[in-house]
Amino acid sequence: MISVRGLTKRFGDNTVLDGIDLDIRSGERVAIIGPSGTGKSTLLRSLNFLEKPDEGTITIGPVTVDARRLRVAEELALRRQTSFVFQNYALFANMTARDNIAEGLITVRGWDRARANARAEEILATIGLADKAQSYPAALSGGQQQRVGIGRAMAAEAEIMLIDEPTSALDPEWVDEVLQLLKRVADARQTMLIVTHEMQFARDIADRVLFMDGGRIVEQGPPERMFSDPEDPRTRAFLRKVL
Amino acid sequence: MRPLDLDYMLGLVPVLLKYVPLTLAMASVAMVLALLLASLMAIVRVMRVPLLDGLTQVFISFFRGTPLLVQLFLFYYGLPQVFSFLTAINGVTAAIMGITLHFAAYMAESIRAAILGVDRSQWEAARSVGMTTAQMMRRIILPQAARIAAPTLVNYFVDIIKSTSLAFTLGVTELMGAAQKEAAGSFLYFEAFILVAIIYWVIVEALTVVQRQLEARLGKAVAR
């Protein structure tokens, strides 16, 4: 269960998030769509404090933090309730595919190496990269790197998986394998919040679609309605352009 | 021009080689200590730790801004007059201390630049997994910074090896000190000093082989 109240983020005079309220049930899959520069990624990155929001409260699972009085311990506790998939994969460049997945289990969750490696190898098999366990990121294709990135997020078994434009940096040939994998993660009812430009994908996997513009959630609803019968003129204008 | 006394030089080779272990030991101890100290200072600077950041900047400024020889004299001859507990310090220890602090100042800036050279996405990925700052540094950032800094740090090690020759000014009979003593006995200064120069040269060249292996090992994560 995720609950966000009044989340606000400013870069100088520019208000990027303008008092966002958002609730996500356990197991719910929520997609965020909207024009570039409207705060979609900033919202995602604020939820695990990769960006420091200026105001607002965030509750994820048992952890509640207030952006205005944040302690380091709270920040860590909140992050450990989330996992993150980056647009540019951001795999640990000094570690093999297997170690990328095992690393958090060892350093953050305190597993011993043998157990973490075994779990990482299970995940590699799940994401179809069992034969790449010993490969470094530089030796993997973009699609393979992003699948490892998703595998790393899966290993965390976090309350919510935050996924930031997972296919935007990919060559077209790799997009499909990444979306297929994310669909499987979604089918397993992993709670997820995903920023995406793939409208068909959002329609396929999301229980709810949010349309953001100007740092606010303008409109939200089930994908069938959002895509066929949007109410707000800004949503309609956006969808006309991208569909 | 007088002919070289080759017999004398040949006879001197085993005499001087006996001092190579001491030179290498001093250089290695200083290198390890300097690396540790420099890494700590680099992290303090990158993280802008209050108070420590300022102290580190003053430290770096002083040890880069004054000659190593002056620092060695200060440690060995000067400080014991002020702090009596330092009177027991021997020349080898003073030389290692001085060289450590001097090169730590330089290496701190190299390591800091290397840390800042690690892609921002690596920091974010480490944070997103829930690592503490210490875990992030130890597991993700420093190993990658090491690859970036390795060529520069090996250069500093070369410099450290050569700088141990200054220990002879503190009365330490190391490689240079031994050559100096031999030359003073035989008056064959050229033979003694060209031989000691060649020995340093060979040591440093041997090190470049190690350097290539080290860089290959650190670089394996980026090799395709």
Side-chain angles (χ1 to χ4, degrees), chain B residues 70-132:
Chain B
V70 174
Q71 292 162 14
L72 291 177
F73 275 37
L74 195 59
F75 277 119
Y76 187 62
Y77 300 111
L79 280 183
Q81 292 190 335
V82 185
F83 302 103
S84 52
F85 65 93
L86 286 174
T87 39
I89 200 170
N90 64 37
V92 172
T93 312
I96 289 174
M97 261 177 56
I99 293 170
T100 296
L101 298 181
H102 182 83
F103 282 93
Y106 280 95
M107 285 157 62
E109 290 297 88
S110 298
I111 294 172
R112 182 172 82 101
I115 289 173
L116 294 175
V118 174
D119 197 88
R120 208 173 85 100
S121 69
Q122 298 292 309
W123 300 67
E124 293 198 335
R127 294 212 178 281
S128 80
V129 172
M131 289 188 193
T132 62

Side-chain angles (χ1 to χ4, degrees), chain A residues 45 79-80 91 103 107 138, chain B residues 122 124 127 130 135 139:
Chain A
R45 294 162 56 82
R79 282 204 185 113
R80 290 172 183 187
L91 297 184
E103 179 61 25
T107 47
Chain B
Q122 298 292 309
E124 293 198 335
R127 294 212 178 281
Q135 289 168 337
R139 304 285 305 164

Side-chain angles (χ1 to χ4, degrees), chain A residues 219 223-232 235-236 239:
Chain A
E219 183 173 1
E224 310 80 55
R225 186 187 69 68
M226 286 291 285
F227 286 109
S228 59
D229 185 23
E231 285 165 10
D232 195 280
T235 318
R236 269 187 240 136
L239 287 174

Side-chain angles (χ1 to χ4, degrees), chain B:
Chain B
M1 200 180 122
R2 74 168 169 82
L4 286 184
D5 190 336
L6 289 175
D7 285 345
Y8 173 74
M9 279 178 76
L10 276 177
L12 201 52
V13 170
V15 177
L16 291 187
L17 285 182
K18 274 194 305 202
Y19 293 92
V20 169
L22 177 60
T23 289
L24 289 181
M26 286 169 61
S28 303
V29 172
M31 180 70 186
V32 170
L33 294 178
L35 259 181
L36 288 174
L37 182 58
S39 301
L40 284 176
M41 291 195 295
I43 291 171
V44 162
R45 295 229 47 213
V46 170
M47 292 287 146
R48 301 203 183 88
V49 181
L51 196 66
L52 286 180
D53 187 17
L55 288 175
T56 300
Q57 286 187 52
V58 172
F59 177 93
I60 290 172
S61 171
F62 177 79
F63 281 96
R64 289 208 305 182
T66 54
L68 176 56
L69 188 59
V70 174
Q71 292 162 14
L72 291 177
F73 275 37
L74 195 59
F75 277 119
Y76 187 62
Y77 300 111
L79 280 183
Q81 292 190 335
V82 185
F83 302 103
S84 52
F85 65 93
L86 286 174
T87 39
I89 200 170
N90 64 37
V92 172
T93 312
I96 289 174
M97 261 177 56
I99 293 170
T100 296
L101 298 181
H102 182 83
F103 282 93
Y106 280 95
M107 285 157 62
E109 290 297 88
S110 298
I111 294 172
R112 182 172 82 101
I115 289 173
L116 294 175
V118 174
D119 197 88
R120 208 173 85 100
S121 69
Q122 298 292 309
W123 300 67
E124 293 198 335
R127 294 212 178 281
S128 80
V129 172
M131 289 188 193
T132 62
T133 299
Q135 289 168 337
M136 172 178 72
M137 280 293 163
R138 190 165 50 82
R139 304 285 305 164
I140 309 298
I141 305 302
L142 289 180
Q144 295 186 52
R147 185 179 60 78
I148 301 172
T152 322
L153 294 180
V154 173
N155 275 340
Y156 283 127
F157 188 44
V158 166
D159 222 348
I160 285 176
I161 291 172
K162 293 183 294 180
S163 298
T164 57
S165 63
L166 291 174
F168 111 91
T169 63
L170 309 186
V172 179
T173 309
E174 40 65 72
L175 190 50
M176 177 62 199
Q180 160 72 18
K181 272 186 189 158
E182 291 296 327
S186 64
F187 294 109
L188 292 169
Y189 289 103
F190 184 81
E191 280 82 350
F193 291 141
I194 192 69
L195 186 61
V196 82
I198 289 169
I199 292 173
Y200 278 112
W201 190 13
V202 169
I203 293 172
V204 169
E205 280 304 305
L207 192 66
T208 58
V209 176
V210 178
Q211 174 174 17
R212 273 196 292 276
Q213 283 169 357
L214 177 73
E215 283 172 19
R217 205 166 74 86
L218 290 171
K220 75 177 179 219
V222 288
R224 275 178 189 271

Side-chain angles (χ1 to χ4, degrees), chain A residues 93 132 134-142 144-145, chain B residues 220-224:
Chain A
K132 298 291 183 186
Q134 296 307 322
S135 298
Y136 284 89
L140 299 174
S141 75
Q144 289 169 337
Q145 287 189 62
Chain B
K220 75 177 179 219
V222 288
R224 275 178 189 271

